[in-house]
Amino acid sequence: MKIELHGKITQELKELYKKMDAQGKLPSRKQLDQYYETFHRRFGPDVLSNLDGEVLLETVHGRGNQNSLVYWLEFKNDEEFPAIFGSIAGGSALKFGIYHRKETETWMTGSPQNQLELSIEEAVQIARKHRDQLIHGCELLENMPSGGSDEDYRILQEEMDREAPNVSSTAWGHKYYSLLYPNKLDDFHVEYFQRFHLIKLLQLPPDGVGRYLAAVRYVAIATELDIPIKHLTTLLNDRNGRPHRYWRVLVNYPDQPGFKNNWEAMRNGGYVAIGWEKLGDLSIVDFNQDSKNQVRSLMKTNYSDKGSWADEIFNFVAGMQEGDLVLAFERSTVLGIGRITSPYQYDTSIPQIPHHHPVEWLSIGQWGLPAEEAKGRAIKELRLPENLVEIEKHLLNPQPLPPIAPVIPLIPKLTGTPGRIQSVLDRKKQAILYGPPG
């Protein structure tokens, strides 16, 4: 598959590659091959196929064992194998499907809310299932052609779902496969990350759901740039930062008390804001269900006929985060794109719109989204890929913020001698106050 990147993006990535390479932030191809070979010698499918029983259980899932697979995938970070291949840190140890609890020396499974204790034999059975599925997934990747098409990766996703469902659908399983097949898979182990970085490259992600579909794009882009996929993902992490969200906010909605026509003030003042002033300061609102219920209660008390707006106000206050992009809308027309620079603030300098998010406006200009989304909603996260790509296109060639007209103070009319001098200056542009001319 061949992909053509926008010329400006290609140039950015090439310049960034030279910079990061000169700074020593990119391992050489030889180093990468050495790391991959080290991992393969320890945990490749040929190794796992020869293990069984408690040895298999400990080799794959011994979380406290620094020689286990799960330890290498989540914690290993040294000269032998540095932590540069995409993080899977965080969350419960149950993300691996099974773990060894130190306090009781027992193996556990289930969910964080409902953990179940296992016998040794039950734990071994889970390890066997994981081993067999890891091996089946490797066989699928081995047989898939290099430089595959969208269809090849669609088939791969379907077969992974069928042959290795308990491991291929996990971040740790995806990382395992990407370390063994680094020329066929990217090392973004979460689907949301994969799609975010494609959007930032103005590429529409493939249709469908799964961790293996987007790899076709990364393989093609790395080939186009003639760099390893690992180098490409490192560049993208540096260029794009962590994933952010895209929000729509109406800045002119005269029929509702929360949305007045204050776009010019927001544009010039560097913020986006909504009304609903009777709600008061909402700084205590966090992104959780209790806070959402609190906003609903406040709306019912202060705006009994407008309760349906509560969730949108909650999203504005707690959902929109620093680093997210916000689009100011008037009906279906985009007026500007900005980046949120700090959390929610309560500002009564303009009483009609006290609920604020400070914003750095990145591009100003009127245009429309290519696909209808969030119609009738004043505050809504935008998610359709074609719309997000269009937003990024406008940011690639932004329209600057128009100059703000200076405010000229009114000067009171002078009287007496100063007034006579001013009158002369107005007529002749100069006046002799004392002595000969000059």
Side-chain angles (χ1 to χ4, degrees):
M1 180 177 182
K2 183 176 176 58
I3 283 183
E4 291 188 7
L5 289 176
H6 189 285
K8 189 173 182 179
I9 293 177
T10 300
Q11 188 62 31
E12 284 182 11
L13 292 176
K14 288 182 177 180
E15 291 176 358
L16 183 58
Y17 185 85
K18 291 180 181 178
K19 177 183 176 181
M20 296 186 72
D21 190 38
Q23 294 172 342
K25 295 182 178 180
L26 298 173
S28 67
R29 294 175 188 251
K30 183 178 180 180
Q31 286 176 311
L32 286 175
D33 289 342
Q34 180 180 335
Y35 299 143
Y36 295 136
E37 178 58 29
T38 298
F39 185 83
H40 187 277
R41 286 199 308 268
R42 281 185 168 271
F43 305 110
D46 49 337
V47 176
L48 297 184
S49 64
N50 291 318
L51 301 177
D52 198 12
E54 292 188 47
V55 174
L56 170 65
L57 177 62
E58 187 63 28
T59 300
V60 175
H61 286 295
R63 189 175 172 87
N65 176 2
Q66 296 188 12
N67 292 316
S68 71
L69 172 61
V70 295
Y71 182 89
W72 274 55
L73 291 176
E74 186 168 11
F75 301 114
K76 178 78 166 174
N77 184 22
D78 54 27
E79 291 184 1
E80 182 182 28
F81 191 75
I84 60 173
F85 300 103
S87 173
I88 60 167
S92 165
L94 286 167
K95 65 190 173 189
F96 295 105
I98 183 175
Y99 80 98
H100 190 248
R101 177 182 282 174
K102 290 183 179 179
E103 295 81 4
T104 59
E105 292 296 320
T106 54
W107 289 92
M108 307 298 296
T109 190
S111 67
Q113 296 77 26
N114 184 27
Q115 297 194 33
L116 303 174
E117 186 174 316
L118 297 168
S119 67
I120 291 295
E121 183 55 35
E122 289 171 330
V124 168
Q125 287 296 333
I126 292 177
R128 285 174 179 155
K129 178 172 64 176
H130 288 173
R131 174 202 60 194
D132 293 345
Q133 291 190 15
L134 289 173
I135 292 172
H136 285 320
C138 288
E139 292 171 351
L140 295 174
L141 284 159
E142 189 70 37
N143 294 328
M144 194 184 73
S146 298
S149 64
D150 271 351
E151 180 64 12
D152 291 324
Y153 278 85
R154 185 191 63 78
I155 293 173
L156 173 67
Q157 181 67 58
E158 291 178 354
E159 292 181 335
M160 281 286 193
D161 292 340
R162 182 174 60 252
E163 301 291 334
N166 301 103
V167 296
S168 68
S169 61
T170 66
W172 73 271
H174 185 273
K175 185 170 184 177
Y176 175 82
Y177 293 131
S178 71
L179 287 166
L180 295 176
Y181 297 92
N183 296 323
K184 293 182 177 180
L185 295 178
D186 59 275
D187 63 348
F188 293 130
H189 309 303
V190 178
E191 190 177 352
Y192 180 66
F193 279 61
Q194 294 171 335
R195 292 174 177 270
F196 167 79
H197 288 290
L198 288 179
I199 293 293
K200 301 295 279 190
L201 293 174
L202 308 187
Q203 301 295 318
L204 286 174
D207 294 333
V209 176
R211 299 173 194 263
Y212 301 88
L213 294 170
V216 62
R217 303 285 195 270
Y218 289 105
V219 172
I221 294 169
T223 301
E224 180 72 18
L225 297 173
D226 191 26
I227 60 176
I229 298 177
K230 172 67 248 173
H231 286 176
L232 172 62
T233 57
T234 301
L235 296 180
L236 296 180
N237 279 324
D238 187 88
R239 176 184 184 265
N240 302 330
R242 292 188 60 80
H244 58 71
R245 294 189 286 180
Y246 303 76
W247 296 90
R248 155 196 171 98
V249 175
L250 283 182
V251 296
N252 180 11
Y253 205 145
D255 296 333
Q256 296 296 337
F259 305 91
K260 302 299 183 181
N261 186 7
N262 288 289
W263 164 235
E264 187 174 347
M266 296 183 203
R267 182 194 66 191
N268 296 342
Y271 64 89
V272 65
I274 60 174
W276 313 102
E277 60 271 22
K278 294 179 184 179
L279 298 178
D281 189 351
L282 297 176
S283 298
I284 61 172
V285 172
D286 292 321
F287 194 68
N288 57 46
Q289 188 61 46
D290 287 343
S291 287
K292 180 178 285 189
N293 292 337
Q294 183 180 5
V295 174
R296 289 172 177 171
S297 178
L298 287 170
M299 283 295 290
K300 185 177 181 180
T301 300
N302 294 282
Y303 299 94
S304 58
D305 61 333
K306 304 294 182 182
S308 60
W309 294 92
D311 288 356
E312 295 183 52
I313 295 167
F314 172 77
N315 278 333
F316 181 89
V317 174
M320 293 168 58
Q321 299 291 318
E322 184 175 352
D324 286 354
L325 293 182
V326 58
L327 279 70
F329 270 81
E330 181 176 12
R331 295 182 176 85
S332 61
T333 301
V334 179
L335 303 178
I337 310 171
R339 179 180 291 112
I340 298 174
T341 57
S342 67
Y344 162 86
Q345 296 177 4
Y346 185 68
D347 186 342
T348 57
S349 59
I350 304 181
Q352 295 83 5
I353 48 171
H355 306 291
H356 284 217
H357 271 292
V359 166
E360 175 193 3
W361 294 109
L362 305 174
S363 181
I364 301 297
Q366 297 189 16
W367 54 280
L369 294 176
E372 185 178 286
E373 186 173 8
K375 185 177 182 180
R377 304 297 296 273
I379 302 166
K380 176 70 175 179
E381 182 182 358
L382 300 173
R383 296 181 179 179
L384 292 180
E386 54 266 48
N387 287 339
L388 305 188
V389 167
E390 190 66 24
I391 293 168
E392 292 296 333
K393 286 180 180 178
H394 280 80
L395 291 178
L396 196 62
N397 295 290
Q399 298 183 48
L401 185 71
I404 301 173
V407 178
I408 302 175
L410 295 175
I411 302 175
K413 185 175 180 63
L414 300 177
T415 60
T417 300
R420 291 194 296 273
I421 295 172
Q422 182 64 54
S423 177
V424 173
L425 287 172
D426 290 341
R427 289 183 289 108
K428 298 185 175 182
K429 309 304 178 187
Q430 62 177 339
I432 299 172
L433 300 182
Y434 175 79

